[in-house]
Amino acid sequence: MTSPSPSVPPATAPHEKDVERRFLAGWPRLEARLAEVYGEDPRWATFIAALKEKVWAAAIARPPALRALDVQREASQDWLNLPGQGAYTFYVDRFAGDLPGVRERLDYLDDLGVHWLHPLPLLKPRPGDSDGGFAVADYRQIDPRLGDMDDLEALAADLRARDMGLILDVVCNHTAREHAWAQAARAGDPAYREYYITLDAEAAADRERHLIDVFPDTAPGSFTYDPDMGGHVWTTFYPFQWDLNYANPAVFAEMLAVLVFLASKGVQGFRLDSAPYLWKAAGTTSRNQPQAYAIVEAWHEALAIIAPSVVLVAEAIESLDDVLPFFGRDGRGCDLAYNNAVMTALWGALADADAGVFNRCLAASAGKPRRAAWLNYVRCHDDLIWNALAAYASPEDLARWSAFYGQGGGFSHGRAFQTAPGGVPSTNGMAAALAGLEPGEGPHSAGARRLTLLYGIVHALDGWPLIYMGDELGLPNDEAYADDPLRAADGRWLHRPAMDWSAAGRRNQAETLEAELFARFRHFGARARALAAQGVAGPARPVDLGSPAILAFERTEGAQNLLCLGNLAEAPVLATLPAPFSAAARDVLTGQNREGVSIELGPYELVWLVTP
Ligand code: GLC
């Protein structure tokens, strides 16, 4: 066999042979994806030749300690869909102070039963306001307040030793204005000017007409005039977050180098922040363009050669139909994507005690490629974006849910967040607050039941359940952000509290809210893992049991079927079980066997039934 790259000798050692096999299979796919985006660019020939060398060299240089996991995951086609891959997401400083602090808290996370850690951005941010770290000044350094690269490597190694994994945010759509690339651009370096998008006033205004503001109150418009750049720089988010110009192939290569560098430190996955925005096209919203999907697919193909154990997670909080292509053609794109349609629909269904919208979204989300997995969640660090459900709910539904959760009236203590004209306000708030769990209330309160119900549902779906820091203890909203000038203007800080370690300590005191909630979350994780051993497999599909208050779905592609039933109402409901569960079934959560066609569900009760 000839070597795929002319400058390297034929492979002899096992690792080189692995790389050669991956390269021969993967390079043509990678080149094809990139040709779709850059094939017509005059820089194409030089770019692709250089990239070929870099991909080969990076694959060969993969650190030996990380190769075993690559080989293992490559050999297990369906590993992404193995159950028990619960994840936990948190801000490092708010959870444990710094990275060494996180290492000291691993027993807590082990106790909870999670297998993946997703710390929110921890790379070196710009000074001052950095949008919670989403304005990166250096992708190769850790925020010095949180530690250094050695601390990150140590955390990654600790996790590997525990059979756990680390997922990092890669803020790939934009850099901080203070990043070295932006500084070089501002200093007039023509190569770096091409890393960003600078337009004259007229062209910027023309683009602006088609764009939708993300932060219309705190950062109106998508361009920021910069005298050094001599024009209006594309800034989709805050003015200090400069969108990268992916029409320049050098930017693709730079970001791939960042992924490879961080993967070499033991990072096992990347959350591709703001992936929908990667490609700009005149006359469009510049979201979810075909080239954005192709770029993500190309990163996947490159990592499949260089570091095949590493997963990519699409952060695309868009309509479900725009999220699905991030999984890639033939499932060769992102390995995971946030299931924001199902998450948002869950809250809508809970407000109305009507599973309709959840059923519609769940049915459509089953259309993902088999290989990929959903990241199922209840809350995250961002606002709840109702507008992303527009294809699955009426404008009246969206307005009602937005008002219910953000403006009082119902059980929720959430708060409205900014929205672009034409949309309904999104909602901020911790899950406990949105579910109506008041501080001081106990584990049997309606609010605690609602919170548990939602987390129980996401643990029964196919995919990876994600816990947002503090939800396992029912942490309330954090009003203190309003006193901090750096955070006061951005209402999302309402749901970014500091971890309450005294509340965490109460998980060991029977009868407390924390003990009950923590135990239920842990139980959901453990039972979800056990489902595989029981032969439950396949995508969750909605089942209509006649009563809108009963949210029900089945998973029926394994040796055993699962039927998950939840009562969305505060009043008990009677459900008629479908066959084969009507003959005999076992409740996985309680371990009880049951018989009979009808089942009564108490307020917000959840059951997971399997066929015996
Ligand atoms: C993503 C993040 C959000 C951030 C934005 C800009 O949506 O989740 O917190 O503000 O990207 O980076």
Side-chain angles (χ1 to χ4, degrees), residues 463-488:
W464 297 14
L466 172 71
I467 297 174
Y468 183 57
M469 186 208 84
D471 286 351
E472 73 279 16
L473 304 169
L475 288 195
N477 285 340
D478 178 22
E479 303 285 352
Y481 81 94
D483 302 327
D484 176 352
L486 280 186
R487 296 184 289 144

Side-chain angles (χ1 to χ4, degrees), residues 426-445:
S426 332
T427 301
N428 289 319
M430 288 294 284
L434 299 185
L437 172 59
E438 303 257 14
E441 281 187 337
H444 305 295
S445 60

Side-chain angles (χ1 to χ4, degrees), residues 222-303:
S222 296
F223 292 88
T224 303
Y225 181 72
D226 187 274
D228 294 333
M229 295 292 276
H232 298 261
V233 177
W234 200 306
T235 56
T236 298
F237 297 92
Y238 284 102
F240 52 75
Q241 289 164 306
W242 285 20
D243 287 52
L244 284 160
N245 176 22
Y246 276 90
N248 176 0
V251 170
F252 171 87
E254 286 275 18
M255 203 49 75
L256 176 60
V258 167
L259 298 177
V260 170
F261 169 78
L262 293 169
S264 79
K265 303 295 175 196
V267 176
Q268 294 183 31
F270 298 107
R271 172 186 179 278
L272 298 178
D273 181 67
S274 305
Y277 299 86
L278 295 179
W279 193 266
K280 328 296 192 208
T284 75
T285 59
S286 292
R287 296 186 184 187
N288 309 309
Q289 296 297 307
Q291 292 89 339
Y293 300 128
I295 286 168
V296 165
E297 288 174 298
W299 279 329
H300 168 88
E301 295 297 359
L303 288 174

Side-chain angles (χ1 to χ4, degrees), residues 131 134 174 215 237 241 271 273-274 315 381-382 492:
D131 185 20
F134 285 100
H174 43 267
F215 302 132
F237 297 92
Q241 289 164 306
R271 172 186 179 278
D273 181 67
S274 305
E315 194 258 337
H381 69 291
D382 282 328
R492 292 175 298 169

